[in-house]
Amino acid sequence: MKYKITFLCFMFYLITNCGSSDSNDDNVESNFEIELFYTETVSIDELVEVTIVGNEDLKSAEASNDASFDNNTGISFLLELQPSIVRYFTFDKLGLNTVYIRGYNADGIVSVKELNVNVVRGNAIKINAIEIVSFSGINNTWDDEFAETDINRLADVFFLLRKTKAFFSDGEYNFNRDWFRSEVLENQGNLTWDLSDEALFVGPGFPVNFLAADMDDEGYVGDLMLGRYYYSIGFSEDEGSQPEAFTFNFPDIDLELLVSVEWPN
């Protein structure tokens, strides 16, 4: 009789435990899913509106350039549950661009969808070459360890282009990013960079930030901008004409640039 009671107790434990487990599974089950609504083909630097809609109210959402979300650069925490969220993006790489969107419901259940946008050139201008015509201290000594007659005393010049971008923004271009960094021309070289293979497209009139520096072997950077963080340049038609090159002068730091461009057909 003792063993029969023990056996019955054991069976009762199994039945009640299994029942409890099934109940817990029911509690965490969810059909939560998000959908993305957007224009699938856009132009360079065009502000793209994306509506994130959940079949349940959304608590938060985030975006990333990689599926792991290790480097997510956009996130939104809602003050109250909402059925949808609207966010904005820009793209400047031709062809298919993919962003991963992750939404959360009130219980923290996750749904992930891919945002796949086909980017076309549209009216974008292509930067084909940049020449630094002059800068303050050109042909002077930038590396003091070399004699005045040694060519190695000259600046080893590179430039950086920065561009504003929208990524999971509320409607604005919400941050500046490093867009292109040139190779270093040792001892000034000819101070001309051929960029025709770099696919550097920019919307007409869209601002691009420029800065230049001297790079030493030890990694020390000399300031060709004389304390100015950057200067803004842009490209637009001039009274209906489409110049093949633009000259930019910044007299306060004796900086002159010549930028060669290609207009869309």
Side-chain angles (χ1 to χ4, degrees):
M1 176 64 72
K2 176 182 178 182
Y3 296 109
K4 183 180 290 187
I5 292 173
T6 302
F7 177 76
L8 290 174
C9 291
F10 178 69
M11 290 300 296
F12 178 79
Y13 170 79
L14 288 179
I15 293 170
T16 55
N17 190 57
C18 290
S20 174
S21 176
D22 291 341
S23 175
N24 289 338
D25 289 343
D26 289 340
N27 289 336
V28 298
E29 283 183 0
S30 173
N31 295 319
F32 174 64
E33 190 172 10
I34 61 171
E35 294 293 337
L36 309 178
F37 297 90
Y38 57 95
T39 302
E40 295 183 358
T41 299
V42 301
S43 299
I44 295 285
D45 295 326
E46 178 184 351
L47 202 61
V48 182
E49 181 181 284
V50 178
T51 303
I52 308 165
V53 179
N55 61 352
E56 301 174 22
D57 282 349
L58 294 157
K59 180 61 177 176
S60 65
E62 58 186 331
S64 175
N65 285 316
D66 63 87
S68 69
F69 283 82
D70 288 340
N71 298 310
N72 58 313
T73 52
I75 189 165
S76 176
F77 295 103
L78 304 179
L79 297 178
E80 58 184 25
L81 295 176
Q82 295 183 17
S84 65
I85 305 173
V86 177
R87 286 294 180 266
Y88 295 84
F89 298 82
T90 55
F91 302 91
D92 55 26
K93 177 184 175 183
L94 291 177
L96 182 65
N97 287 247
T98 299
V99 174
Y100 300 89
I101 307 292
R102 185 160 64 183
Y104 297 82
N105 71 358
D107 297 320
I109 304 300
V110 178
S111 175
V112 179
K113 286 290 168 57
E114 288 186 12
L115 172 68
N116 291 305
V117 176
N118 179 41
V119 180
V120 298
R121 179 169 179 176
N123 294 323
I125 296 157
K126 182 174 181 287
I127 300 176
N128 276 337
I130 290 182
E131 177 186 358
I132 299 179
V133 179
S134 65
F135 61 88
S136 182
I138 192 170
N139 299 324
N140 291 341
T141 297
W142 285 79
D143 295 318
D144 293 333
E145 65 270 27
F146 296 104
E148 289 294 323
T149 56
D150 192 331
I151 192 174
N152 289 294
R153 79 187 193 284
L154 299 176
D156 301 321
V157 181
F158 73 94
F159 68 83
L160 179 68
L161 300 179
R162 306 193 82 220
K163 199 175 185 184
T164 56
K165 181 180 178 66
F167 191 89
F168 209 69
S169 82
D170 59 1
E172 302 292 333
Y173 294 85
N174 55 334
F175 66 92
N176 288 322
R177 66 185 177 91
D178 292 349
W179 182 38
F180 177 79
R181 179 170 176 156
S182 76
E183 65 175 335
V184 177
L185 296 184
E186 295 183 353
N187 307 321
Q188 294 183 181
N190 58 5
L191 292 178
T192 301
W193 290 262
D194 181 0
L195 308 175
S196 56
D197 293 332
E198 300 296 339
L200 297 177
F201 294 97
V202 58
F206 201 87
V208 175
N209 298 328
F210 177 90
L211 62 90
D214 161 57
M215 174 66 76
D216 285 344
D217 291 338
E218 294 78 13
Y220 174 77
V221 176
D223 184 13
L224 271 63
M225 306 295 291
L226 303 185
R228 280 69 170 177
Y229 184 54
Y230 61 80
Y231 275 100
S232 182
I233 60 177
F235 313 97
S236 298
E237 292 188 3
D238 182 13
E239 297 182 352
S241 67
Q242 297 179 337
E244 294 183 356
F246 289 82
T247 299
F248 300 96
N249 286 290
F250 305 101
D252 56 329
I253 59 172
D254 298 325
L255 177 64
E256 182 177 345
L257 307 176
L258 181 65
V259 183
S260 300
V261 302
E262 171 190 290
W263 293 82
N265 295 325

